[in-house]
Amino acid sequence: MQPVLVINDERFKQHLEQVPHLENARRVKAVQSVLEDPSLNGKWAELVPRLATKEELALVHTADHIERIAKTAGKPLSSFDMDTQATEKSYDVARLGVGAVFGLLDEIWTGKANRGFACIRPPGHHAEPDKAMGFCLFNNVALGARYLKEHYSVSKIMIVDFDVHHGNGIQSAFYNTDDVLYVSLHQFPCYPGTGNFGEVGRGRGEGFTINIPLGKGHGARDFAGIIHYMLNPLAQAYHPDMILVSCGFDLYMHDPLGGMTVTPEGYALITFFLLDIAQKVCDGRIAFIMEGGYSLKGIRECGLRVMQELCDVPTLNRKQIEKVTGNSARKLSAVRKVIEIQKEYWKILR
Ligand SMILES: [Zn+2]
């Protein structure tokens, strides 16, 4: 097996340095400690990221937005909303995050690796084409998908977003187009307020946004079950060339911002079933890109299980897997509602 490519650069600690914030440098440190785990020895390789250019940022963002962020460079503190700030080096760090995603996708698309994990910050999925919000400056994953289209003419990309919050920025970037299939599992109602069942895309994009809003308290088997029962057939019907994952660690049971009950084992199951889909539909090409997650213990414990699955270090037994495959996710009322709405666009759900 090719080593799993990992991005984990010291420079990601330079965003919001000295500013007390939930989205802080210790999150990167938590991932570093995961990578030192002996079980992962020799199974991953580091990829050094580059900075994305302004032209590349314009693949998703407006010139005004890029300028607004660029102007924060060198200033001790700039604020976009109550929870979204930039410090002296944030502009460069945010461009490094985007460049990291590009680099990872280059390697995977050209066959130098199959899987990767990008530990980057700030996160991206709340960043709108014209607005920074929700700790996010540039939309890393949306830019990654656009980059694949622009540079390699990749025709079909599936984005799976399992951060506890809805990825409003990714949804906005692709709402009117069938270029990308965006699927989000998230807590609802919750920040940022978008992501309800009826948000399915518009015009040519109708049916290419799939929102799976879930009430508080859902756990490992619910998430893994939905991935296995709904995302698997959807992916087989859509047949993407690559899968990008917006990987939030805030589904974790003790996350200070989320209300879900996912255990580290749950993260292993979620990863296992996503890898299974990638194997079936796109020769295993899959990139995990870090979004939120604010419990350091959660990042360490769930991050380890995600990395172990990516590195093919077996940690799940057959019984744990069968508890997911043997239980129909249709029991969940949210799943039945999503199917009711989306079956108009996806025959496979009928
Ligand atoms: Zn989140």
Side-chain angles (χ1 to χ4, degrees):
M1 188 195 155
Q2 292 164 307
V4 174
L5 288 180
V6 173
I7 286 153
N8 186 269
D9 195 291
E10 283 295 322
R11 287 173 286 176
F12 289 114
K13 294 178 179 167
Q14 296 171 344
H15 165 60
L16 302 182
E17 264 180 325
Q18 329 290 348
V19 176
H21 202 289
L22 273 176
E23 202 288 281
N24 58 59
R26 281 174 296 173
R27 300 176 66 241
V28 172
K29 237 171 127 181
V31 175
Q32 279 167 351
S33 75
V34 166
L35 298 171
E36 285 160 13
D37 194 87
S39 66
L40 303 176
N41 241 338
K43 296 192 162 69
W44 59 274
E46 192 177 336
L47 185 66
V48 178
R50 66 166 173 95
L51 268 66
T53 64
K54 275 190 181 174
E55 291 69 37
E56 289 171 328
L57 296 172
L59 288 170
V60 166
H61 295 288
T62 61
D64 284 353
H65 174 74
I66 298 166
E67 254 344 283
R68 262 195 304 276
I69 310 288
K71 275 191 195 145
T72 67
K75 294 183 186 151
L77 188 65
S78 313
S79 225
F80 299 98
D81 63 27
M82 288 264 286
D83 26 57
T84 314
Q85 281 84 31
T87 47
E88 265 182 290
K89 292 181 181 154
S90 296
Y91 172 56
D92 276 353
V93 178
R95 287 200 294 150
L96 189 67
V98 176
V101 174
F102 293 167
L104 182 58
L105 299 181
D106 282 332
E107 297 297 297
I108 295 177
W109 188 253
T110 56
K112 296 189 191 84
N114 235 359
R115 303 171 179 174
F117 181 89
C119 166
I120 57 175
R121 58 184 289 270
H125 73 156
H126 295 306
E128 292 278 345
D130 60 353
K131 192 164 97 184
M133 61 181 272
F135 310 166
C136 304
L137 303 179
F138 298 126
N139 202 311
N140 308 313
V141 170
L143 282 159
R146 276 266 169 262
Y147 176 82
L148 282 173
K149 302 220 142 240
E150 201 69 21
H151 283 255
Y152 300 108
S153 309
V154 176
S155 72
K156 290 195 230 166
I157 298 160
M158 180 171 181
I159 298 175
V160 179
D161 183 340
F162 66 77
D163 187 280
V164 80
H165 305 101
H166 179 243
N168 57 291
I170 303 178
Q171 172 167 301
S172 293
F174 303 111
Y175 207 61
N176 299 309
T177 164
D178 57 3
D179 277 355
V180 164
L181 173 61
Y182 176 59
V183 186
S184 177
L185 301 107
H186 49 269
Q187 186 173 315
F188 191 89
C190 190
Y191 182 87
T194 49
N196 211 344
F197 296 101
E199 295 166 34
V200 296
R202 195 181 298 125
R204 210 157 55 88
E206 212 179 318
F208 290 90
T209 293
I210 300 180
N211 280 305
I212 309 171
L214 298 160
K216 270 185 184 175
H218 285 80
R221 269 186 248 164
D222 301 321
F223 284 93
I226 292 169
I227 290 167
H228 179 63
Y229 274 95
M230 194 148 56
L231 272 56
N232 192 342
L234 278 169
Q236 298 204 39
Y238 180 64
H239 216 91
D241 301 297
M242 193 182 318
I243 298 174
L244 310 189
V245 180
S246 269
C247 171
F249 289 111
D250 41 12
L251 297 178
Y252 175 60
M253 55 202 297
H254 302 304
D255 187 90
L257 295 187
M260 296 303 185
T261 60
V262 177
T263 55
E265 181 193 315
Y267 271 84
L269 285 166
I270 288 170
T271 309
F272 175 89
F273 285 103
L274 285 173
L275 291 176
D276 178 57
I277 294 175
Q279 220 56 47
K280 283 179 185 144
V281 301
C282 52
D283 295 325
R285 285 187 292 272
I286 190 163
F288 279 61
I289 293 127
M290 190 158 95
E291 298 283 1
Y294 306 99
S295 156
L296 297 174
K297 186 170 184 269
I299 295 177
R300 278 193 302 269
E301 294 183 0
C302 302
L304 178 61
R305 299 300 291 266
V306 169
M307 272 307 293
Q308 285 172 328
E309 287 302 315
L310 288 174
C311 291
D312 277 341
V313 176
T315 67
L316 291 165
N317 60 42
R318 216 178 48 198
K319 222 172 162 184
Q320 289 166 315
I321 293 164
E322 281 171 0
K323 271 187 187 158
V324 174
T325 56
N327 233 324
S328 175
R330 274 179 194 261
K331 281 183 201 154
L332 298 170
S333 65
V335 168
R336 288 198 301 274
K337 200 156 175 192
V338 174
I339 290 172
E340 200 48 50
I341 289 168
Q342 294 287 348
K343 71 181 183 193
E344 186 183 336
Y345 315 106
W346 300 93
K347 260 192 240 162
I348 198 144
L349 297 177
R350 282 174 204 167

mmCIF file of all heavy atoms in Angstrom, residues 27 123 125-126 134-136 161-167 190-192 247-251 255 257-258 291-294, ligand 1:
data_model
loop_
_atom_site.group_PDB
_atom_site.id
_atom_site.type_symbol
_atom_site.label_atom_id
_atom_site.label_comp_id
_atom_site.label_asym_id
_atom_site.label_seq_id
_atom_site.Cartn_x
_atom_site.Cartn_y
_atom_site.Cartn_z
ATOM 1 N N ARG A 27 -4.792 22.588 18.485
ATOM 2 C CA ARG A 27 -5.476 21.582 17.664
ATOM 3 C C ARG A 27 -4.478 20.907 16.712
ATOM 4 O O ARG A 27 -4.551 19.708 16.453
ATOM 5 C CB ARG A 27 -6.615 22.234 16.875
ATOM 6 C CG ARG A 27 -7.659 22.878 17.785
ATOM 7 C CD ARG A 27 -8.726 23.615 16.999
ATOM 8 N NE ARG A 27 -9.529 22.719 16.223
ATOM 9 C CZ ARG A 27 -9.640 22.742 14.908
ATOM 10 N NH1 ARG A 27 -8.989 23.670 14.215
ATOM 11 N NH2 ARG A 27 -10.394 21.874 14.280
ATOM 12 N N PRO A 123 -10.137 26.408 9.614
ATOM 13 C CA PRO A 123 -11.033 25.569 8.820
ATOM 14 C C PRO A 123 -11.664 26.383 7.696
ATOM 15 O O PRO A 123 -11.429 27.594 7.602
ATOM 16 C CB PRO A 123 -12.089 25.124 9.843
ATOM 17 C CG PRO A 123 -12.029 26.120 10.950
ATOM 18 C CD PRO A 123 -10.630 26.654 10.971
ATOM 19 N N HIS A 125 -15.134 25.405 5.802
ATOM 20 C CA HIS A 125 -16.433 25.139 5.164
ATOM 21 C C HIS A 125 -17.519 26.184 5.418
ATOM 22 O O HIS A 125 -18.530 26.191 4.737
ATOM 23 C CB HIS A 125 -16.938 23.713 5.459
ATOM 24 C CG HIS A 125 -17.427 23.478 6.852
ATOM 25 N ND1 HIS A 125 -18.330 22.472 7.157
ATOM 26 C CD2 HIS A 125 -17.135 24.103 8.020
ATOM 27 C CE1 HIS A 125 -18.575 22.507 8.460
ATOM 28 N NE2 HIS A 125 -17.870 23.455 9.001
ATOM 29 N N HIS A 126 -17.291 27.105 6.375
ATOM 30 C CA HIS A 126 -18.262 28.193 6.554
ATOM 31 C C HIS A 126 -17.934 29.416 5.692
ATOM 32 O O HIS A 126 -18.769 30.313 5.555
ATOM 33 C CB HIS A 126 -18.313 28.654 8.016
ATOM 34 C CG HIS A 126 -18.820 27.609 8.960
ATOM 35 N ND1 HIS A 126 -20.024 26.968 8.767
ATOM 36 C CD2 HIS A 126 -18.288 27.074 10.098
ATOM 37 C CE1 HIS A 126 -20.203 26.090 9.752
ATOM 38 N NE2 HIS A 126 -19.171 26.127 10.561
ATOM 39 N N GLY A 134 -17.627 32.027 10.891
ATOM 40 C CA GLY A 134 -17.523 30.740 11.572
ATOM 41 C C GLY A 134 -16.103 30.207 11.663
ATOM 42 O O GLY A 134 -15.867 29.025 11.401
ATOM 43 N N PHE A 135 -15.145 31.047 12.033
ATOM 44 C CA PHE A 135 -13.718 30.707 12.180
ATOM 45 C C PHE A 135 -13.020 30.534 10.819
ATOM 46 O O PHE A 135 -11.837 30.215 10.779
ATOM 47 C CB PHE A 135 -13.468 29.417 12.979
ATOM 48 C CG PHE A 135 -14.164 29.281 14.308
ATOM 49 C CD1 PHE A 135 -14.223 28.039 14.949
ATOM 50 C CD2 PHE A 135 -14.741 30.371 14.951
ATOM 51 C CE1 PHE A 135 -14.850 27.888 16.182
ATOM 52 C CE2 PHE A 135 -15.364 30.239 16.189
ATOM 53 C CZ PHE A 135 -15.429 28.993 16.802
ATOM 54 N N CYS A 136 -13.752 30.647 9.698
ATOM 55 C CA CYS A 136 -13.199 30.295 8.375
ATOM 56 C C CYS A 136 -12.900 31.536 7.532
ATOM 57 O O CYS A 136 -13.727 32.451 7.455
ATOM 58 C CB CYS A 136 -14.191 29.419 7.624
ATOM 59 S SG CYS A 136 -14.676 27.918 8.513
ATOM 60 N N ASP A 161 -19.341 16.039 3.936
ATOM 61 C CA ASP A 161 -19.016 16.952 5.034
ATOM 62 C C ASP A 161 -19.665 16.405 6.307
ATOM 63 O O ASP A 161 -20.888 16.410 6.433
ATOM 64 C CB ASP A 161 -19.588 18.340 4.677
ATOM 65 C CG ASP A 161 -19.258 19.415 5.711
ATOM 66 O OD1 ASP A 161 -18.932 19.077 6.857
ATOM 67 O OD2 ASP A 161 -19.359 20.611 5.354
ATOM 68 N N PHE A 162 -18.826 15.895 7.219
ATOM 69 C CA PHE A 162 -19.425 15.394 8.465
ATOM 70 C C PHE A 162 -18.982 16.184 9.697
ATOM 71 O O PHE A 162 -18.999 15.681 10.816
ATOM 72 C CB PHE A 162 -19.239 13.879 8.638
ATOM 73 C CG PHE A 162 -17.835 13.384 8.821
ATOM 74 C CD1 PHE A 162 -17.187 13.510 10.044
ATOM 75 C CD2 PHE A 162 -17.160 12.764 7.783
ATOM 76 C CE1 PHE A 162 -15.892 13.049 10.219
ATOM 77 C CE2 PHE A 162 -15.866 12.299 7.946
ATOM 78 C CZ PHE A 162 -15.229 12.439 9.177
ATOM 79 N N ASP A 163 -18.641 17.442 9.475
ATOM 80 C CA ASP A 163 -18.483 18.352 10.610
ATOM 81 C C ASP A 163 -19.874 18.506 11.251
ATOM 82 O O ASP A 163 -20.884 18.405 10.567
ATOM 83 C CB ASP A 163 -17.988 19.711 10.090
ATOM 84 C CG ASP A 163 -17.629 20.685 11.198
ATOM 85 O OD1 ASP A 163 -18.548 21.309 11.766
ATOM 86 O OD2 ASP A 163 -16.430 20.819 11.491
ATOM 87 N N VAL A 164 -19.927 18.743 12.559
ATOM 88 C CA VAL A 164 -21.246 18.829 13.224
ATOM 89 C C VAL A 164 -22.051 20.031 12.723
ATOM 90 O O VAL A 164 -23.266 20.057 12.826
ATOM 91 C CB VAL A 164 -21.091 18.855 14.768
ATOM 92 C CG1 VAL A 164 -20.713 20.242 15.278
ATOM 93 C CG2 VAL A 164 -22.371 18.370 15.458
ATOM 94 N N HIS A 165 -21.346 21.018 12.144
ATOM 95 C CA HIS A 165 -22.031 22.192 11.605
ATOM 96 C C HIS A 165 -22.217 22.062 10.094
ATOM 97 O O HIS A 165 -21.401 21.435 9.427
ATOM 98 C CB HIS A 165 -21.219 23.464 11.914
ATOM 99 C CG HIS A 165 -20.924 23.632 13.373
ATOM 100 N ND1 HIS A 165 -19.699 23.310 13.923
ATOM 101 C CD2 HIS A 165 -21.715 24.045 14.386
ATOM 102 C CE1 HIS A 165 -19.744 23.533 15.234
ATOM 103 N NE2 HIS A 165 -20.950 23.980 15.535
ATOM 104 N N HIS A 166 -23.260 22.698 9.591
ATOM 105 C CA HIS A 166 -23.484 22.655 8.147
ATOM 106 C C HIS A 166 -22.445 23.503 7.411
ATOM 107 O O HIS A 166 -22.128 24.609 7.842
ATOM 108 C CB HIS A 166 -24.890 23.186 7.824
ATOM 109 C CG HIS A 166 -25.195 23.199 6.371
ATOM 110 N ND1 HIS A 166 -25.447 24.357 5.666
ATOM 111 C CD2 HIS A 166 -25.253 22.187 5.470
ATOM 112 C CE1 HIS A 166 -25.679 24.043 4.392
ATOM 113 N NE2 HIS A 166 -25.562 22.734 4.253
ATOM 114 N N GLY A 167 -21.957 22.989 6.296
ATOM 115 C CA GLY A 167 -20.941 23.705 5.506
ATOM 116 C C GLY A 167 -21.604 24.662 4.530
ATOM 117 O O GLY A 167 -21.585 24.462 3.314
ATOM 118 N N CYS A 190 -28.783 24.373 14.435
ATOM 119 C CA CYS A 190 -27.449 24.645 14.994
ATOM 120 C C CYS A 190 -26.804 25.712 14.117
ATOM 121 O O CYS A 190 -27.319 26.029 13.041
ATOM 122 C CB CYS A 190 -26.640 23.342 14.945
ATOM 123 S SG CYS A 190 -25.076 23.388 15.842
ATOM 124 N N TYR A 191 -25.673 26.256 14.555
ATOM 125 C CA TYR A 191 -24.915 27.184 13.726
ATOM 126 C C TYR A 191 -24.583 26.494 12.403
ATOM 127 O O TYR A 191 -24.240 25.315 12.424
ATOM 128 C CB TYR A 191 -23.606 27.588 14.434
ATOM 129 C CG TYR A 191 -22.787 28.589 13.659
ATOM 130 C CD1 TYR A 191 -23.020 29.949 13.798
ATOM 131 C CD2 TYR A 191 -21.821 28.160 12.759
ATOM 132 C CE1 TYR A 191 -22.291 30.865 13.059
ATOM 133 C CE2 TYR A 191 -21.090 29.068 12.018
ATOM 134 C CZ TYR A 191 -21.332 30.411 12.178
ATOM 135 O OH TYR A 191 -20.625 31.327 11.448
ATOM 136 N N PRO A 192 -24.628 27.106 11.253
ATOM 137 C CA PRO A 192 -24.960 28.517 10.979
ATOM 138 C C PRO A 192 -26.435 28.720 10.628
ATOM 139 O O PRO A 192 -26.793 29.824 10.221
ATOM 140 C CB PRO A 192 -24.072 28.816 9.767
ATOM 141 C CG PRO A 192 -23.991 27.515 9.029
ATOM 142 C CD PRO A 192 -24.065 26.430 10.063
ATOM 143 N N CYS A 247 -13.711 16.936 7.180
ATOM 144 C CA CYS A 247 -13.643 16.099 8.382
ATOM 145 C C CYS A 247 -13.626 16.983 9.632
ATOM 146 O O CYS A 247 -12.609 17.587 9.960
ATOM 147 C CB CYS A 247 -12.387 15.234 8.289
ATOM 148 S SG CYS A 247 -11.994 14.324 9.788
ATOM 149 N N GLY A 248 -14.756 17.037 10.288
ATOM 150 C CA GLY A 248 -14.816 17.777 11.550
ATOM 151 C C GLY A 248 -14.726 16.798 12.707
ATOM 152 O O GLY A 248 -15.286 15.709 12.634
ATOM 153 N N PHE A 249 -14.017 17.202 13.742
ATOM 154 C CA PHE A 249 -13.947 16.332 14.924
ATOM 155 C C PHE A 249 -14.958 16.769 15.993
ATOM 156 O O PHE A 249 -14.875 16.348 17.142
ATOM 157 C CB PHE A 249 -12.524 16.308 15.488
ATOM 158 C CG PHE A 249 -11.564 15.549 14.596
ATOM 159 C CD1 PHE A 249 -10.563 16.214 13.904
ATOM 160 C CD2 PHE A 249 -11.688 14.176 14.434
ATOM 161 C CE1 PHE A 249 -9.692 15.518 13.063
ATOM 162 C CE2 PHE A 249 -10.826 13.464 13.601
ATOM 163 C CZ PHE A 249 -9.820 14.147 12.913
ATOM 164 N N ASP A 250 -15.916 17.607 15.575
ATOM 165 C CA ASP A 250 -16.886 18.092 16.565
ATOM 166 C C ASP A 250 -18.160 17.254 16.680
ATOM 167 O O ASP A 250 -19.110 17.657 17.346
ATOM 168 C CB ASP A 250 -17.202 19.587 16.354
ATOM 169 C CG ASP A 250 -17.350 19.984 14.905
ATOM 170 O OD1 ASP A 250 -17.442 19.082 14.055
ATOM 171 O OD2 ASP A 250 -17.376 21.202 14.621
ATOM 172 N N LEU A 251 -18.157 16.063 16.028
ATOM 173 C CA LEU A 251 -19.219 15.102 16.330
ATOM 174 C C LEU A 251 -18.901 14.373 17.628
ATOM 175 O O LEU A 251 -19.738 13.666 18.187
ATOM 176 C CB LEU A 251 -19.346 14.046 15.218
ATOM 177 C CG LEU A 251 -19.736 14.473 13.817
ATOM 178 C CD1 LEU A 251 -19.734 13.249 12.898
ATOM 179 C CD2 LEU A 251 -21.113 15.113 13.807
ATOM 180 N N ASP A 255 -17.439 17.279 22.617
ATOM 181 C CA ASP A 255 -17.036 18.532 21.966
ATOM 182 C C ASP A 255 -17.790 19.708 22.601
ATOM 183 O O ASP A 255 -18.997 19.621 22.823
ATOM 184 C CB ASP A 255 -17.338 18.473 20.462
ATOM 185 C CG ASP A 255 -16.765 19.685 19.737
ATOM 186 O OD1 ASP A 255 -15.600 19.605 19.299
ATOM 187 O OD2 ASP A 255 -17.465 20.721 19.650
ATOM 188 N N LEU A 257 -18.745 22.487 21.353
ATOM 189 C CA LEU A 257 -19.703 23.171 20.487
ATOM 190 C C LEU A 257 -20.791 22.257 19.931
ATOM 191 O O LEU A 257 -21.851 22.719 19.527
ATOM 192 C CB LEU A 257 -18.982 23.855 19.308
ATOM 193 C CG LEU A 257 -18.031 24.994 19.647
ATOM 194 C CD1 LEU A 257 -17.543 25.669 18.380
ATOM 195 C CD2 LEU A 257 -18.712 26.031 20.544
ATOM 196 N N GLY A 258 -20.507 20.966 19.856
ATOM 197 C CA GLY A 258 -21.458 20.040 19.241
ATOM 198 C C GLY A 258 -22.344 19.358 20.272
ATOM 199 O O GLY A 258 -22.089 19.416 21.471
ATOM 200 N N GLU A 291 -11.734 20.153 9.307
ATOM 201 C CA GLU A 291 -12.566 21.349 9.517
ATOM 202 C C GLU A 291 -12.535 21.673 11.011
ATOM 203 O O GLU A 291 -11.499 22.015 11.534
ATOM 204 C CB GLU A 291 -13.998 21.088 9.004
ATOM 205 C CG GLU A 291 -14.075 20.805 7.501
ATOM 206 C CD GLU A 291 -13.958 22.064 6.619
ATOM 207 O OE1 GLU A 291 -13.802 23.165 7.159
ATOM 208 O OE2 GLU A 291 -14.017 21.913 5.378
ATOM 209 N N GLY A 292 -13.688 21.511 11.715
ATOM 210 C CA GLY A 292 -13.735 21.888 13.125
ATOM 211 C C GLY A 292 -13.393 20.758 14.085
ATOM 212 O O GLY A 292 -12.831 19.736 13.695
ATOM 213 N N GLY A 293 -13.792 20.962 15.342
ATOM 214 C CA GLY A 293 -13.461 19.993 16.400
ATOM 215 C C GLY A 293 -12.669 20.708 17.466
ATOM 216 O O GLY A 293 -11.552 21.150 17.202
ATOM 217 N N TYR A 294 -13.264 20.854 18.650
ATOM 218 C CA TYR A 294 -12.685 21.780 19.628
ATOM 219 C C TYR A 294 -12.343 21.150 20.963
ATOM 220 O O TYR A 294 -11.922 21.838 21.895
ATOM 221 C CB TYR A 294 -13.622 22.996 19.769
ATOM 222 C CG TYR A 294 -13.860 23.556 18.391
ATOM 223 C CD1 TYR A 294 -15.020 23.245 17.676
ATOM 224 C CD2 TYR A 294 -12.862 24.276 17.745
ATOM 225 C CE1 TYR A 294 -15.182 23.678 16.363
ATOM 226 C CE2 TYR A 294 -13.017 24.707 16.444
ATOM 227 C CZ TYR A 294 -14.175 24.408 15.759
ATOM 228 O OH TYR A 294 -14.316 24.812 14.456
HETATM 229 ZN ZN ZN B 1 -17.891 22.517 13.143
#
